[in-house]
Amino acid sequence: CPNCTRCTEYTSWSHGLHPECEFIFQLEEEERGCLQYVEEQGNRSTEGCRPFWDAVVCWPQAAVGESVQRACPAIFSLFKNKTGSVSRNCTSAGWSRPSPPYHIACSVDDDIPETEQSYFTTVKLIYTVGYSVSLVVLTAAVFILLLFRRLRCARNFIHIQLFITFILKAMAVFIRDATLFSNDDTNHCTLSTFTCKASVVFCHYCVMANFFWLLVEALYLNSLLLSSFYHSRQCLWGFSLLGWGVPVLFIVLWIGSRLYFEDTECWDINEDSPYWWIIKGPIVVSITVNFMLFMNIIRILIQKLNPRLIQFNNSSQYRRLTKSTLLLIPLFGTHYMFFNFLPDYFNVNLRLFIELCMGSFQGLLVALLYCFLNQEVQKEVHMQWLRWQVRSYGVVSPAAKGSQMDTPF
C-alpha cells in the first residue's frame, strides 16, 4: 500500500493502518476465524456442502438445494459507502459460483482512484522538496553557528541541537522512503526485514529527539525570562541529556516490547498496540508541557512589557525578547495540541497536508529566523567578510570592528 503511514511527524504515525493495509489484515483475521469454524465443523455430518473460506467470505455448512446469502465484508466500506451481498447455491456437485461476482456486488475497484493517487503523489512531491530544501539550509546554518567563535554561546548551542534534529528527521524520511517505497512490487503491509525495522526505529528516535529539543528551547526561554538560568556546563549537559538521552530510553523500551511481544511486520503498524504509548505518551506530554510553557512565556512578557514597569535601560531588550519569542511560538508545534484531541482518522487528507507538507518546511523556517535573519549572525558574517577584504585587498572600514552579542536571542 503506497500510502501507508510514514515516519515524519508524531500524529502522522498514530493513524494506525492505512485502509489498504487494514483491508489485508482484516481479511486475514476473518480467514483465521473461518478456518477455526471449518475445523470445528469437520467431525459433523458430511452431507450437503461443507463450510469453506473462498478468500473473501466464510461460507457455512448447507444442505443440497439450499441457497446461502452473505453480505460483502464490512472492511469493503473503507472503499465504498455501500456494499451489496453475494449468494451461492448448494448443489449435489458442491457450491456454485458466487452470484453476482464479488467485484460487482461489493463495488470494489482494484486500483486507487486517479484523484486519490494524484493527491498522494502531490503530497509526496511537496514534502520531498520541503525536506530537501530544509536539509540544505539547516546544514548551512549549523556550519555558520559552529564556524564563528563569537556565535558560540548557550543559546546557539541549543539552536544547533534543534537544527540537527530537523536534519536527522529529514534524513530519516528519505531513508525510510528508500527502504519501503523504492519498489512498487513490495508488499508494505507485510514487509518484515532488519533494514525496514531499523529505518522505523531511526525515524521514531529522530522525531522524539526533535520534540524533546523543542521542549528544551521552551525551558531555556522560560529560564531566561525568569532570570534563573546560569550559563554553566551542568545546565547544558542536563539539556543534552533531556534532548538526546531521554528519547533513547523510550526507544530502547519500545524496541524490547516489540521484539518480545509484537515482532510483526515492519514495526510501523501500531493500531490497538499498548506498546505504542511508550513512544506516543512522552511525545504527547512534551507537546502539552511545551504549550503550557509558551503560555507562561506570553504571560511573563505581557507583565514585563507593562509601560509602568519597564525601565528605560531594559525596555529595548524586552521588546527584542518579545519579538524573538513570538516568532518562535508558531514554529514549536503548537498546532499539535489541536490534533492531539481529534480522532486518528479525522480528515486524514488535511492532516497529511499539514503534517507532511507544512511540517517539512518547519526546519527551513527555524533556520531562517534563528540564523540567517538573526541580527547577531548577520553582523558577525558581515564583520568576517570585511576582515577578509582587509587581509586580501588592504581595504579598511570603520565598520570592521569587533561585534558583540548584546541580546539573549
Side-chain angles (χ1 to χ4, degrees):
C1 54
N3 308 318
C4 287
T5 52
R6 296 175 180 271
C7 176
T8 51
E9 302 284 346
Y10 145 68
T11 44
S12 296
W13 301 351
S14 60
H15 293 162
L17 295 176
H18 181 271
E20 294 178 23
C21 297
E22 186 172 353
F23 170 76
I24 293 174
F25 287 106
Q26 184 65 34
L27 283 183
E28 289 179 350
E29 183 178 347
E30 292 183 4
E31 180 182 9
R32 287 191 294 269
C34 182
L35 294 179
Q36 183 179 357
Y37 167 76
V38 171
E39 184 178 356
E40 293 173 353
Q41 297 293 321
N43 297 327
R44 300 187 179 184
S45 175
T46 59
E47 296 180 358
C49 298
R50 301 288 301 275
F52 81 108
W53 169 257
D54 67 353
V56 179
V57 172
C58 188
W59 296 91
Q61 179 82 25
V64 175
E66 183 179 357
S67 179
V68 178
Q69 188 176 45
R70 280 284 185 264
C72 293
I75 195 66
F76 283 176
S77 63
L78 289 172
F79 304 93
K80 294 291 184 179
N81 293 330
K82 296 182 180 180
T83 57
S85 60
V86 179
S87 63
R88 287 180 186 265
N89 296 321
C90 179
T91 67
S92 58
W95 287 104
S96 65
R97 291 181 176 275
S99 177
Y102 282 116
H103 70 277
I104 296 177
C106 301
S107 303
V108 178
D109 298 326
D110 294 334
D111 299 325
I112 302 175
E114 184 177 350
T115 55
E116 182 180 354
Q117 183 66 45
S118 175
Y119 173 79
F120 285 112
T121 300
T122 302
V123 168
K124 185 176 187 299
L125 176 63
I126 294 175
Y127 81 70
T128 299
V129 172
Y131 280 119
S132 299
V133 175
S134 296
L135 186 62
V136 174
V137 175
L138 286 164
T139 303
V142 171
F143 177 77
I144 291 173
L145 294 180
L146 290 175
L147 179 63
F148 301 119
R149 184 178 299 273
R150 291 180 181 273
L151 297 177
R152 297 175 188 175
C153 60
R155 168 178 58 86
N156 283 338
F157 171 82
I158 295 174
H159 286 346
I160 289 172
Q161 308 308 307
L162 180 62
F163 292 172
I164 291 175
T165 62
F166 279 113
I167 292 173
L168 291 176
K169 190 167 70 171
M171 293 174 59
V173 172
F174 295 140
I175 291 173
R176 192 165 190 271
D177 278 357
T179 303
L180 292 179
F181 305 101
S182 59
N183 189 347
D184 293 337
D185 296 329
T186 301
N187 186 345
H188 307 291
C189 301
T190 58
L191 180 65
S192 180
T193 63
F194 174 80
T195 302
C196 171
K197 293 174 181 178
S199 67
V200 171
V201 170
F202 181 59
C203 280
H204 286 318
Y205 175 75
C206 293
V207 171
M208 283 197 74
N210 182 250
F211 277 105
F212 274 86
W213 274 105
L214 291 174
L215 177 60
V216 169
E217 287 274 9
L219 290 171
Y220 178 73
L221 289 176
N222 273 267
S223 299
L224 286 176
L225 290 171
L226 295 173
S227 302
S228 61
F229 181 79
Y230 297 94
H231 296 74
S232 63
R233 290 186 178 272
Q234 288 78 9
C235 290
L236 293 181
W237 276 110
F239 284 150
S240 298
L241 181 62
L242 175 62
W244 296 115
V246 173
V248 171
L249 173 63
F250 289 108
I251 289 295
V252 170
L253 290 175
W254 181 75
I255 291 174
S257 66
R258 291 304 298 248
L259 282 173
Y260 287 100
F261 302 108
E262 282 187 352
D263 190 12
T264 58
E265 288 79 45
C266 194
W267 293 2
D268 60 337
I269 296 175
N270 303 293
E271 185 185 39
D272 299 327
S273 171
Y275 310 107
W276 173 236
W277 279 97
I278 297 175
I279 291 178
K280 180 179 179 179
I283 292 178
V284 171
V285 171
S286 70
I287 293 172
T288 305
V289 173
N290 225 356
F291 183 78
M292 294 172 62
L293 289 173
F294 281 124
M295 292 299 99
N296 188 53
I297 289 174
I298 294 176
R299 181 186 65 81
I300 295 173
L301 289 175
I302 291 175
Q303 292 178 350
K304 289 183 178 293
L305 289 175
N306 188 330
R308 295 175 296 178
L309 301 177
I310 294 180
Q311 300 177 2
F312 178 76
N313 58 351
N314 64 4
S315 61
S316 61
Q317 178 182 354
Y318 280 126
R319 286 193 172 88
R320 286 195 297 270
L321 201 63
T322 303
K323 179 181 178 181
S324 299
T325 303
L326 293 178
L327 285 174
L328 194 64
I329 289 175
L331 300 177
F332 273 30
T334 53
H335 66 282
Y336 292 114
M337 284 297 297
F338 174 73
F339 286 119
N340 273 344
F341 301 102
L342 291 177
D344 290 337
Y345 277 105
F346 175 82
N347 206 332
V348 175
N349 286 349
L350 177 61
R351 297 178 70 147
L352 285 175
F353 178 79
I354 293 176
E355 296 169 12
L356 295 183
C357 297
M358 296 180 62
S360 65
F361 290 95
Q362 186 178 5
L364 171 64
L365 293 176
V366 171
L368 289 176
L369 288 175
Y370 295 96
C371 181
F372 296 102
L373 298 180
N374 181 275
Q375 292 183 359
E376 284 75 28
V377 174
Q378 292 178 348
K379 185 176 181 180
E380 186 61 28
V381 172
H382 180 64
M383 294 299 298
Q384 293 298 329
W385 169 253
L386 293 177
R387 289 169 184 167
W388 178 82
Q389 287 184 321
V390 170
R391 290 193 299 267
S392 301
Y393 306 107
V395 178
V396 180
S397 172
K401 298 180 181 180
S403 62
Q404 183 177 2
M405 297 182 68
D406 55 356
T407 69
F409 290 87

